[in-house]
Each structure stands twice: as structure tokens, then as C-alpha cells.
Amino acid sequence: MARFTLPRDVYHGPGALEALKTLDGKKAMVCVGGGSMKRFGFLDKVTDYLKEAGMEVKLFEGIEPDPSVDTVMKGAEVMREFQPDWIVAIGGGSPIDATKAMWIKYEYPDVTFEDMCKVFGLPKLRTKAHFCAISSTSGTGTEVTAFAVITDYEKGIKYPLADFEITPDVAIVDPALAETMPKKLVAHTGMDAITHSIEAYVSTANCNYTDALALHSIKMIQDNLVGSFNEDMGKRATMHDAQCMAGMAFSNALLGIVHSMAHKTGAVFADQGAHIIHGAANAMYLPKVIAFNAKDPVAKQRYGVIADFMGLGGSSDDEKVDLLIKCLRKMNDDLNIPHCIKNYGKDSYPTEQGFVPENIFLERLPEIAKNAILDACTGSNPRQPSQEEMEKLLKCCYYDTEVDF
């Protein structure tokens, strides 16, 4: 028996934010990241709509990119003091993910962060509050998923939380919020979204329900991402729907080692002056992982189906896999994303010498590989890598060399 879980309601399209007026409750805590939602007036709209619904509203602001365990604990403490029956998260993946973790801690104060990281091991939520997620970026799909990513800065590791309990009750996908994204964010979140769809389609947990969402969202992203990056707002609105559908697919079909590697390399080089932004990491690693996974015959055939759906050509699955890889690499070029860690600059743009020195990378490689294998996303990857294979694959992602193993 398999399970397919989505939010109870997904409000989408222009004006979807007004759905907040229909929520039934007494107190709402609104969690948000930096200043963009306030600057563009969306935070005021959210609070006004909730007040119109008859609720007392409290704000928790300043959730950082790559949210920390400390932020989660602070937010949960504010929730315990305020006692909301609705929790509303607005912004990109970081504030929504952090708020999901706060929600767990609010409902179960004795739960530790280590407890939260047990895959599909959470207790029943909604004993105190329901959850509404409002996405402002077109990539993570977290407004409809059973996942969140929280960073333990002491260990330099990003941990995925995975449980259907943290799937939001209500998702709001309003394209007006996506119009405010800077171009770099459009690029990185868009490549995160196509990675979600591709990994979901070849995952060992795929099914008929997820396949339809994965394939259609891949085609939508292929047709609209570069245009969205170049500020075509019609295409940006379509991307906002596409990334949400990608989220629906991977929340139920799960992911693979592109995400395992991105989680474990994102913050591990922070002492060198930067993070490898999650969407950019996915963009760099995805072509390498496709080449690695395509050694599995079932995965190769499914990559071939993706290539066919994208209209890439090719008369054999081998040709189709090569064309898919070339297509994704061209997308990276069009979006100004590097092809490897060696050329990844502190600003995330391609550069001759990136911010991660070769000796530091090689020194930390065995530990990164070990942690990537242990990541929650690895179990549903179509080909299970050994420690040696994961190290070799990460080297290919550092040097941009061919995957021939």
C-alpha cells in the first residue's frame, strides 16, 4: 500500500492570498523571513486578511536563509506564549521550512531536534494549530510538501525533516508574490524545482499519481524557466504553478542523491566565506547524478521517457540520457549557474576559481560522502552508491569531470 498526501486546500492564481479571509480561528501567528514581504506590502495584506477573518495576529519576523535550529526553538517559544490556532508562514522555502519545525516543537515541547529528524517518525500534529503556507518563490514546493530542511550550524549540516504530518493544511500559490523575486533567485529556485520533478520521476517510490505531476511540471519548467528568469511575468506565473506541482510529486515520490549531496555540501564550507545555495547545488549535481543513475536500466528508461516528454529527440535511451544532460547544462548556462563546485563563486556565479579550495574539499570529502549516504533522500534513489562511489561522484561535481562508473 502506498500513500498520496496533499494539503486539504490549494488556493492558486491571481488574488489567491484573499483565501486567508476564510480561515476559521481565534489567533494566528505569522512567520516571515527578511524584509521583502513587508517591503512589497504582502505582509500587511496577510495580517489584514487574517484580522478580517476575526483573528488576533502576532508576527515572528527575521527567519534567516538556511534557517537554524536556534531560530526554530525561538519561534516555538513565541508560539507557546501566544497559543495560536493557526500558524501562517509566508516567504520562500526557508521561512516555511523553519515554521514547520516550530509547529512540531509548539505542539510537542519535549520533542528534540534529533527526534524531528527521524524520518516519518513524528507524532500527530494539529492538536493545537493548523498550518497555512504561502510561497513567494518558485522552487521549493514546501507549501505542499511533507518536508523541511533545517541547518545545524555547529555541525555544518542541513537536515531534512520528513513526515506527512508537516504537510500544510492550506497552501496559497499567488503569482503576485513571485513577481518580486530577483533574477538569481528565479534561477536557483527554478532549477531546484526541475530537480524535484526529475528525481521524483526516477525515484523508487514513484507511482502513477506522482508520474503525471512530475512529467507535466518538467515540461512546464522547460518551457517557462528561462523566460521567467528574463522577466516575462506570464511565464513567471506559470513557473509558480509548475514548482508547486513538482512539490506535490516529490512529497509523495520522494527524492534522490542530488538532494542528499546538496544537503551535505550546502553549509559545510561556510568557514570559507559562503554557502553553496541549495538550488545552485542541485543544478550543478543533477547532470552528474543522471549519468550515475543511468547505469541502472530502469532509471535509464525513465530518463528516456523524460527526454521524450521534453521533445529532445534521440533514438535510444543512451542518446536520450545524453540529450537530457546537455539540455540541463544549457539551462545552467542560460541562468548563469556554474557547472561545478570548483567554479562556484561566493556570489554563486561562475568564476575561474571558486570559494572552495581543492585541498579543503578533498580533506572533507570522506565525511561529506558518508553524510550524504546517510541522508534521508538517499534511500529512494534508483542506484545506491557505496562510500567509494559517492566520493567519486562528488569529485565529478567538484571538477566537472565525466561520470564513467
Side-chain angles (χ1 to χ4, degrees), residues 55-287:
M55 290 193 239
E56 181 185 349
V57 180
K58 185 174 185 63
L59 297 181
F60 183 83
E61 300 180 74
I63 298 172
E64 73 275 34
D66 303 305
S68 66
V69 178
D70 286 346
T71 296
V72 168
M73 299 305 167
K74 288 174 186 172
E77 182 60 36
V78 175
M79 287 179 187
R80 281 197 293 275
E81 292 170 2
F82 183 60
Q83 292 290 305
D85 48 16
W86 272 100
I87 297 166
V88 179
I90 178 171
S94 293
I96 296 175
D97 281 5
T99 308
K100 286 179 176 179
M102 293 173 195
W103 182 26
I104 301 167
K105 186 71 175 174
Y106 167 50
E107 299 231 354
Y108 294 93
D110 294 334
V111 165
T112 65
F113 180 67
E114 289 71 23
D115 293 331
M116 294 184 196
C117 294
K118 293 173 184 173
V119 178
F120 295 99
L122 292 178
K124 291 285 183 186
L125 297 181
R126 297 162 182 82
T127 62
K128 296 181 181 178
H130 286 83
F131 191 98
C132 173
I134 307 165
S135 178
S136 67
T137 62
S138 300
T140 68
T142 189
E143 71 276 7
V144 294
T145 74
F147 296 91
V149 178
I150 306 297
T151 303
D152 184 332
Y153 282 91
E154 287 186 13
K155 296 180 180 177
I157 294 176
K158 296 186 179 185
Y159 289 95
L161 313 186
D163 198 292
F164 287 120
E165 286 298 315
I166 59 172
T167 305
D169 299 287
V170 174
I172 295 177
V173 187
D174 191 323
L177 280 72
E179 290 180 4
T180 66
M181 286 192 295
K183 290 184 72 170
K184 184 195 291 190
L185 191 58
V186 172
H188 293 162
T189 56
M191 291 306 293
D192 191 17
I194 201 167
T195 304
H196 290 155
S197 297
I198 292 173
E199 289 210 290
Y201 191 74
V202 301
S203 161
T204 56
N206 73 75
C207 68
N208 291 329
Y209 299 94
T210 58
D211 283 355
L213 289 161
L215 286 173
H216 189 54
S217 58
I218 288 167
K219 183 61 177 169
M220 290 171 74
I221 296 166
Q222 177 193 14
D223 291 345
N224 291 280
L225 175 54
V226 174
S228 173
F229 177 74
N230 291 321
E231 302 183 339
D232 179 324
M233 292 304 158
K235 290 183 180 293
R236 192 165 296 185
T238 303
M239 273 299 303
H240 211 40
D241 286 337
Q243 65 84 30
C244 184
M245 293 165 61
M248 293 175 181
F250 92 78
S251 185
N252 291 278
L254 308 179
L255 292 165
I257 59 173
V258 178
H259 273 77
S260 303
M261 293 156 65
H263 291 153
K264 298 330 183 204
T265 52
V268 76
F269 303 112
D271 60 339
Q272 302 303 303
H275 281 209
I276 301 177
I277 296 170
H278 180 71
N282 283 339
M284 293 189 294
Y285 307 162
L286 179 58

Side-chain angles (χ1 to χ4, degrees), residues 179-398:
E179 290 180 4
T180 66
M181 286 192 295
K183 290 184 72 170
K184 184 195 291 190
L185 191 58
V186 172
H188 293 162
T189 56
M191 291 306 293
D192 191 17
I194 201 167
T195 304
H196 290 155
S197 297
I198 292 173
E199 289 210 290
Y201 191 74
V202 301
S203 161
T204 56
N206 73 75
C207 68
N208 291 329
Y209 299 94
T210 58
D211 283 355
L213 289 161
L215 286 173
H216 189 54
S217 58
I218 288 167
K219 183 61 177 169
M220 290 171 74
I221 296 166
Q222 177 193 14
D223 291 345
N224 291 280
L225 175 54
V226 174
S228 173
F229 177 74
N230 291 321
E231 302 183 339
D232 179 324
M233 292 304 158
K235 290 183 180 293
R236 192 165 296 185
T238 303
M239 273 299 303
H240 211 40
D241 286 337
Q243 65 84 30
C244 184
M245 293 165 61
M248 293 175 181
F250 92 78
S251 185
N252 291 278
L254 308 179
L255 292 165
I257 59 173
V258 178
H259 273 77
S260 303
M261 293 156 65
H263 291 153
K264 298 330 183 204
T265 52
V268 76
F269 303 112
D271 60 339
Q272 302 303 303
H275 281 209
I276 301 177
I277 296 170
H278 180 71
N282 283 339
M284 293 189 294
Y285 307 162
L286 179 58
K288 304 302 182 190
V289 170
I290 289 173
F292 175 79
N293 283 342
K295 303 295 190 290
D296 174 87
V298 174
K300 182 196 290 188
Q301 183 269 333
R302 290 184 75 81
Y303 287 130
V305 172
I306 291 173
D308 287 342
F309 207 80
M310 296 172 74
L312 301 181
S315 57
S316 67
D317 283 336
D318 286 324
E319 286 182 14
K320 292 172 186 178
V321 169
D322 288 343
L323 288 166
L324 177 59
I325 289 170
K326 286 175 182 174
C327 175
L328 293 167
R329 287 178 66 89
K330 184 179 186 305
M331 288 175 75
N332 286 350
D333 289 335
D334 291 342
L335 299 168
N336 204 18
I337 296 174
H339 289 296
C340 62
I341 300 170
K342 180 174 176 285
N343 300 131
Y344 184 95
K346 282 185 180 180
D347 57 4
S348 83
Y349 294 126
T351 184
E352 187 66 29
Q353 181 55 58
F355 84 94
V356 182
E358 181 181 26
N359 64 312
I360 297 291
F361 172 79
L362 293 174
E363 177 186 305
R364 299 180 188 179
L365 176 61
E367 187 71 11
I368 295 168
K370 182 184 81 172
N371 289 330
I373 290 170
L374 293 173
D375 188 270
C377 294
T378 299
S380 47
N381 194 70
R383 185 180 171 198
Q384 290 298 301
S386 65
Q387 174 75 18
E388 180 186 4
E389 287 169 336
M390 181 60 82
E391 289 187 25
K392 289 169 72 174
L393 187 55
L394 283 160
K395 282 184 179 179
C396 291
C397 293
Y398 184 86

